[in-house]
Amino acid sequence: MILIRKKSPLAKKQENLARAKKSWEKGEEKAQHFPLVIYLEPTSICNLSCPMCPVAIGLSEYSYPEKLLSWELIEKMEEALENGLRCFLSGGGEPFLHPDFLEIIKFIKKRELEIIFNTNATLITQKIAEELVALQVDCISISVDAVDPGVYRKIRKGAELDQIFDSINLLNQAKRKNNSTKPYLNMQFTLMKENFNQLPQTIGLAKKLGINHLVIEPLSSVFCFDRQYNEFFKQQYLAIEEKLIDELKNLKSQAEQLKIVFSSHYLESKRKPEKCVQPWINFGIRTNGQVFLCCGTVEKMGELKEHSFRELWNGSVYQAFRKAIAKAEYPEQCARCLQEARSPWFNSELLG
């Protein structure tokens, strides 16, 4: 009798990673591997009404009747999840508004992926904090766009800063109680004219809150096709100037001294990458089953309700993106992302 040894989950993932790297290097149009990074949008609704949010302003790209990610769609992604490395449970809405959000985390953790998600942190209770630590969620990015409560209230409409501090403290208490380093905590600060004067105080706040990584982000230009968003963008966007770059470099130096990781797209190189990795590693789905490539484009890659994962992953839209980018001929949809250095290097470290 010949015994066939079943591959371990880790071995499957390592083999898939090797195939992905080879496929990207060769610029293959038809992928011979599964995506490394899977985006699942838990909700397309939010309990806040922030002025820079595509959900809050009713952007058509996020205005669809299906507000919660269904188990049917998640199960259609099971094969991809079994072979993937990282899962972002983020999108347009607040993930904790999904009644099964913790169950979705459990489902994905059983398939041994890193889990990362963004939250406004208004709905985190002690019980939720303890469950997130117990489930060993890898990273949580928390939106904290001001140090002053009044400024925060104007930006994160519907929330109070003390409420967010309490949520972060609950997470840190649960981590200490369980002697855990997870979840790794990001503090996400979206920089605009309204909160620019808060910038010098962000390092001190991050240290006080036990934050691991401070991220200073510019307003995204990706949604500027929408008139309302474009007006807000023109009023609030902070262009790259020497004074701003010097301020950010100073903050980065302070962060290093305090052992806090610091990053900002303002400091990223604006060089055009020879070959963006996203079409070879990313696969995302909205709550309505629409497939998207990355956060740098609103291009639709197909409908998961109507097709299988495999049909879409090697469908005509994905193949067209791979073909163009392999030749460094970027589609028009990539222009804004390239201008702001938002996505071309995001998750690229997975390929080594």
Side-chain angles (χ1 to χ4, degrees), residues 24-41:
W24 171 69
E25 288 172 344
K26 292 170 68 176
E28 292 178 339
E29 294 172 37
K30 190 169 184 179
Q32 305 299 317
H33 63 283
F34 293 91
L36 305 180
V37 183
I38 297 157
Y39 289 78
L40 303 178
E41 180 182 65

Side-chain angles (χ1 to χ4, degrees), residues 102-152:
L102 291 174
E103 291 303 314
I104 292 171
I105 291 174
K106 289 176 187 176
F107 181 88
I108 294 164
K109 265 298 179 183
K110 284 180 181 177
R111 283 135 189 94
E112 300 184 22
L113 289 91
E114 287 183 352
I115 289 184
I116 302 169
F117 63 85
N118 298 345
T119 176
N120 57 39
T122 59
L123 302 174
I124 296 176
T125 62
Q126 181 177 346
K127 182 180 178 182
I128 288 174
E130 289 176 353
E131 286 212 50
L132 293 171
V133 173
L135 288 167
Q136 289 291 276
V137 168
D138 296 271
C139 178
I140 301 176
S141 286
I142 299 170
S143 301
V144 185
D145 298 317
V147 177
D148 177 79
V151 177
Y152 177 86

Side-chain angles (χ1 to χ4, degrees), residues 183-238:
Y184 186 84
L185 298 179
N186 284 0
M187 176 174 145
Q188 200 90 6
F189 187 98
T190 303
L191 185 61
M192 56 191 91
K193 290 177 183 176
E194 191 162 28
N195 63 5
F196 176 67
N197 66 344
Q198 306 279 289
L199 195 55
Q201 304 170 63
T202 54
I203 291 293
L205 179 62
K207 181 65 177 178
K208 179 181 176 181
L209 293 174
I211 295 296
N212 302 107
H213 185 174
L214 174 60
V215 185
I216 307 293
E217 293 285 44
L219 278 172
S220 174
S221 63
V222 170
F223 304 110
C224 279
F225 61 85
D226 178 83
R227 182 192 58 79
Q228 184 178 346
Y229 182 87
N230 191 40
E231 284 300 313
F232 178 83
F233 182 85
K234 286 190 292 186
Q235 291 171 13
Q236 290 290 339
Y237 180 71
L238 277 167

